Amino acid sequence: MWDLNEKYFGADRDKFQDEFVADIAFFNGLCSSCKSCMQNQKVECGGNFSAIVQQFRTPCEHLITNCAWNGRNFSCCDAFLPLETEFGLCYTINSVHTTPKYGLKLQSNRDMGPGTLDVFALEDVQIHLHSPNDVPYINTEHDLQETILWGLQKEIIFSTIEIFNDANIVEQGLFQRRCKFPFEFAEEDGLRLYSSYSYSTCVTSCVAEAQIAICNCTHHLMPPNLAPNQFEPLKICNVEGLQCLTENFEILTEIRRNCKCFISCEEPEYNIVYSSNE
């Protein structure tokens, strides 16, 4: 990020600017520079956080290239589509949450046989393996997320156990089946950040509600609210709000662990069979 800070703010900038930009562009629940911002009333701490994110986060075309499915090349950014998450903008494939849905729909099953997806990363990337109805989020199982540094080669082989439900299960009460279908939303669900229900979308919404309750705002990377009659408009945290989230990080983490979210009735099970060390 040093070169981008040099480009946008000049060589004679306050080096504090670099730390602040990193906190904003890649906010992870903690803002180490926000307290200094407030105490010293630094001018660098103002401005549009969304604009900073757009300037310093890498767009798809500069992030991945040379994509292929079963040896057949395809345009990476026509298939990996933008998806708003609590990490900010991610690029995902086979998702119901993108526009259009799925992007390039890649299928692999017993009839078609295993599939092979090849992607070349142009920068360090973090990858998450998730179902079409799920989204990347902080609670993603450790085995299903990986940070891959530029220049390294990584091979991951996984198996999938799909869930098939009896046609009549949807008629059973929610507390009897103990799971929700993607179309099931209720008024009491509150904030809705995604159009399709899954455990991960529920937890993300739950955390956003907790941020509002504690700090009266959500951080700038959170997706917008799709339920306009509730929590509208969402207030985006300024520096004081981010400092509030930082000070309450442990409380918010505990709330995240205890969100009252049902599992999805259609959530497949992914198992990592092999993951290379390089």
Side-chain angles (χ1 to χ4, degrees):
M1 290 182 59
W2 180 88
D3 54 338
L4 290 176
N5 277 298
E6 188 97 353
K7 173 183 176 181
Y8 289 116
F9 305 116
D12 58 346
R13 69 190 181 282
D14 184 341
K15 293 305 184 286
F16 170 83
Q17 181 83 50
D18 296 11
E19 181 183 355
F20 179 70
V21 165
D23 279 342
I24 298 303
F26 300 96
F27 182 73
N28 62 359
L30 295 169
C31 178
S32 60
S33 60
C34 285
K35 188 173 184 178
S36 178
C37 278
M38 296 167 58
Q39 290 176 338
N40 300 307
Q41 298 183 336
K42 288 181 173 290
V43 67
E44 294 90 345
C45 302
N48 187 328
F49 290 171
S50 296
I52 293 175
V53 172
Q54 188 171 6
Q55 285 177 323
F56 286 87
R57 295 284 287 260
T58 305
C60 178
E61 58 269 21
H62 296 148
L63 191 64
I64 54 175
T65 188
N66 296 349
C67 294
W69 174 249
N70 290 336
R72 300 184 65 176
N73 295 333
F74 62 86
S75 173
C76 294
C77 299
D78 287 339
F80 285 89
L81 301 180
L83 172 65
E84 292 185 278
T85 75
E86 63 175 329
F87 296 114
L89 200 64
C90 295
Y91 298 97
T92 188
I93 199 166
N94 279 10
S95 172
V96 302
H97 299 289
T98 57
T99 304
K101 290 183 178 181
Y102 301 112
L104 176 64
K105 191 172 184 178
L106 308 181
Q107 292 182 301
S108 177
N109 52 42
R110 289 184 178 182
D111 295 330
M112 303 174 68
T116 300
L117 175 64
D118 295 298
V119 180
F120 185 87
L122 299 170
E123 291 193 10
D124 298 349
V125 295
Q126 185 179 58
I127 61 172
H128 287 242
L129 178 62
H130 61 87
S131 72
N133 288 303
D134 272 307
V135 296
Y137 72 136
I138 291 174
N139 297 53
T140 298
E141 294 177 38
H142 178 73
D143 289 349
L144 302 183
Q145 58 177 302
E146 191 81 42
T147 298
I148 303 175
L149 303 181
W150 180 83
L152 297 183
Q153 182 173 331
K154 184 74 177 180
E155 181 182 9
I156 300 173
I157 301 174
F158 65 92
S159 63
T160 306
I161 301 175
E162 294 190 76
I163 302 299
F164 296 95
N165 296 295
D166 185 277
N168 296 320
I169 193 174
V170 70
E171 298 176 5
Q172 296 181 3
L174 177 61
F175 287 92
Q176 183 178 0
R177 53 181 150 92
R178 304 292 297 174
C179 67
K180 276 190 172 185
F181 286 93
F183 57 82
E184 288 190 298
F185 289 101
E187 290 298 322
E188 62 269 20
D189 287 341
L191 191 66
R192 188 189 304 177
L193 304 184
Y194 297 96
S195 59
S196 181
Y197 181 88
S198 67
Y199 182 78
S200 59
T201 62
C202 178
V203 170
T204 304
S205 298
C206 166
V207 172
E209 287 186 26
Q211 291 177 357
I212 294 170
I214 295 172
C215 296
N216 196 34
C217 61
T218 62
H219 66 71
H220 51 285
L221 299 181
M222 274 289 186
N225 182 22
L226 299 182
N229 294 327
Q230 303 181 59
F231 301 95
E232 185 68 23
L234 289 183
K235 181 181 177 183
I236 304 302
C237 295
N238 55 16
V239 170
E240 289 78 10
L242 293 184
Q243 179 60 23
C244 175
L245 296 181
T246 300
E247 292 173 352
N248 290 281
F249 179 79
E250 292 186 5
I251 294 174
L252 289 165
T253 299
E254 186 62 23
I255 291 174
R256 177 188 291 274
R257 293 195 192 103
N258 294 287
C259 285
K260 299 185 185 308
C261 292
F262 286 97
I263 63 171
S264 170
C265 298
E266 299 181 355
E267 184 175 340
E269 179 181 329
Y270 297 112
N271 296 293
I272 302 300
V273 177
Y274 170 77
S275 180
S276 65
N277 293 322
E278 296 183 1

